[in-house]
Amino acid sequence: MLDTNNIHPMEELKGHLRQILQVIPPESNIYYLDYPVYSNGGDLLIMKGTEAFFRDNDIHVLARYSVLDCPLSLKVPDGVTIVLQGGGNFGDLYPAHQKLRERMIAQHPNHRIVILPQTMFYKSDIELKKTAQVFNRHKDVHFFVRDTVSYEIAKKEFHQTHVYLSPDMAHQLWPLRATGKPHTEMLYFFRKDIEKTKNQNQYESVSDPEAVFKDWETVYNRVDRKIIRMTHSWLKTGKGRSFACWLWYKYSDRMVHTAIKEFSKYKTVTTSRLHGHILACLLDQPNVLLDNSYGKNSNYYAAWTKNNPAGRLEANKSGGTGKSGIPERSGSSNPASEPVQGSGTIVLSDGAAL
């Protein structure tokens, strides 16, 4: 158990990640698979937290593959652990990533396989049963999940799998330092994809012309998207794969720095992105979290961040409106208007401190 006396809630969550060392001990040799090559800043934070965890604990990454360039029949040396990226894409919403996980399990029955903290969600019970059949044929899969709902499903369905409850890998980045003092009141950081809910419409209908609405796609620019397309092409074709991986790791450092710089402009963040919430918490920035379409955000908050005074969960689903047309919020009191910034630095893949 962690000693929680005089310890910041975010430091405590970072400490919880050390349980992963029970299955990937220091000095282990690993293959790291399914690192993200796209503009979702949340997944980039997970990747940077994961790499920091490897570096901080002397875990040796012998090879890295994304979903774009991982061979259909990957040959992994004996004694090497296969480690798969964490996140929120376990299930049938994002089939490419799920197929990669299941293929690795099916093809490597004698290797230890570790899936870093994930949220599970299946629209189809049939697809869940298919996944369970793959998992239940392997006796050395270690599955870390980010919330109690995922934990109960995995324990029930994956009989041969070792299942653990763990916070997100981005917590390894604690603490982050803001790039400057905030000068704008509020950032509305809302998702626009299949996980969007109607609840954020109350905020999006606000007529205040000074309201700032962003998502990852508007944090990043045309140059970022061009670099991503170019990296995609190189990885898919296999031409210059090593250079493409090197370039992406360098450039994704820049993209994480861009997100930190953007968030640092605001006194408060209201977000329906789980990693909008986590990034704000890493910066010790007051924030309000809205749920996503299937409860990922609220389940994560209940499991890990509810004790962090910087953030709180939006409790009012219907809601009236308050001053300036902003929906009134129920639950805990508003976060303080002035953020207390993180005092540490993050060392990214090129060794640069941000």
Side-chain angles (χ1 to χ4, degrees), residues 7-8 64 71 90 105 114 116 153 158 181 205 255 281-282:
I7 185 171
H8 194 286
R64 294 174 174 85
F90 193 104
I105 291 171
V114 179
L116 294 175
I153 294 171
F158 304 159
K181 292 185 178 180
S205 64
M255 294 178 71
C281 288
L282 288 168

Side-chain angles (χ1 to χ4, degrees), residues 186 188 203 270 288 312 314-316 320 326-332 334-335:
M186 175 73 76
Y188 296 99
Y203 295 88
T270 295
V288 179
R312 65 179 179 82
E314 169 62 84
N316 187 3
I326 304 294
E328 293 178 341
R329 298 186 271 278
S330 61
S332 56
N334 287 336

Side-chain angles (χ1 to χ4, degrees), residues 88-99 101-102 119-131 194 294:
N89 58 18
F90 193 104
D92 55 5
L93 291 184
Y94 306 95
H97 302 278
Q98 188 62 29
K99 288 178 181 177
R101 279 185 286 268
E102 295 179 16
T119 298
M120 291 182 67
F121 178 74
Y122 282 85
K123 294 183 296 182
S124 167
D125 190 57
I126 293 174
E127 292 302 317
L128 172 58
K129 298 297 183 184
K130 289 180 180 178
T131 298
I194 57 176
Y294 61 89

Side-chain angles (χ1 to χ4, degrees), residues 189-191 200 270-274 289-292 297:
F189 197 70
F190 288 162
R191 63 189 314 140
Q200 69 188 49
T270 295
T271 182
S272 58
R273 284 276 185 190
L274 177 59
L289 177 64
L290 281 64
D291 212 352
N292 74 319
N297 296 352

